[in-house]
Structure formats: C-alpha cells, structure tokens
Amino acid sequence: MNAPKPKDIEALCTAKGMRMTEQRRVIARVLAAADDHPDVEELYRRCSAVDDHISISTVYRTVRLFEDAGIIERHEFRNGRARYEQIPESHHDHLINLRTGEVIEFQSEIARRLGYRLVDHRLELYALPLNDRSKP
C-alpha cells in the first residue's frame, strides 16, 4: 500500500481507521484544497457551498476529530480565532499581516547555516506592511 500524499487528508483519515461519512469527505477535501489557514467559519462557508446539508456543528466536530488524530494543526494567530492547516511535511513558520490577516509560510535555514539541527521551535511573526504607518 502506498503512503498517502501529503495533501490527501481523506486518505490519511482512512489510514487511521476513521469512518468517512460523505460530510467528512467534503470537509477533508476542502481542507486539503485550502492554500490559506481557514478558521471554522470560513471552512463551513466553503463546505456548505459544496454540500448545503453540512452544519457548522459538523464542521466543528470534524475539525476536532482531525486535530485529535494528528492530521491537521491548530494555530492561534492573535485574532481570537483558531485557524487550521494540514500537518506539514516539513516544518515552516508563519508571518501574519496584522492588517489583512494574511498568513505567509516560510522556512528559515539559519540554524543549518550555523551548524545546528533544530529539534523543536515555534515562531510566529506579526507584521505590518512597510508602507503602513498607522499603529497596529
């Protein structure tokens, strides 16, 4: 059996023995297709566009199930809303634009250049565009 591709949340769920209802499949597919870090309300909006029978409580329960199974990761980016992404194949950090809420993923090679192998860390940078002179 081939290992699931990193973006195939549905296959990861199946590999972990989860029962996959049609609504869970929709949620898994929408999460896998996300190139941002949606919160539950945004995820619900996207899922209900695919299947208008999905309730927000189903999305909340499914997100919790996927998180508990180690398939997706929860982030708290200072705005009071949890945002989600699939557990990445390789570690990356986040730069959050405080004006727009955009989350930019990046990797730093500083430790490797200095002769170290990172074993753990968490980095979130909160930023404003250089041309934005107003206070956060």
Side-chain angles (χ1 to χ4, degrees):
M1 180 176 144
N2 292 338
K5 294 177 185 146
K7 281 293 193 181
D8 195 349
I9 293 174
E10 192 174 349
L12 289 169
C13 292
T14 302
K16 289 183 179 270
M18 278 184 206
R19 188 173 63 86
M20 291 302 287
T21 64
E22 190 53 40
Q23 291 182 331
R24 285 182 184 173
R25 288 181 200 288
V26 169
I27 295 165
R29 290 172 187 158
V30 169
L31 270 168
D35 58 359
D36 56 353
H37 299 71
D39 62 18
V40 171
E41 278 96 25
E42 178 59 24
L43 186 58
Y44 167 69
R45 188 186 67 69
R46 294 175 191 179
C47 290
S48 63
V50 175
D51 178 352
D52 62 0
H53 293 99
I54 292 178
S55 70
I56 194 155
S57 61
T58 297
V59 176
Y60 270 106
R61 282 192 306 272
T62 303
V63 163
R64 172 67 75 179
L65 180 71
F66 291 174
E67 183 183 359
D68 290 347
I71 293 169
I72 64 173
E73 190 170 54
R74 174 188 179 107
H75 297 286
E76 303 280 343
F77 293 138
R78 276 178 68 176
N79 65 354
R81 291 194 138 149
R83 295 172 68 170
Y84 298 90
E85 71 174 325
Q86 183 171 352
I87 299 286
E89 233 184 304
S90 61
H91 180 80
H92 63 264
D93 296 299
H94 299 98
L95 182 134
I96 298 93
N97 182 325
L98 291 174
R99 288 287 174 248
T100 66
E102 178 186 15
V103 177
I104 301 162
E105 295 178 348
F106 69 96
Q107 292 178 323
S108 175
E109 298 295 322
I110 293 171
R112 185 184 324 255
R113 278 189 257 144
L114 294 173
Y116 291 90
R117 178 179 54 86
L118 288 179
V119 293
D120 189 25
H121 84 286
R122 182 179 193 101
L123 177 64
E124 295 167 359
L125 302 174
Y126 298 91
L128 294 171
L130 290 173
N131 61 359
D132 185 342
R133 299 292 181 216
S134 59
K135 292 186 177 188

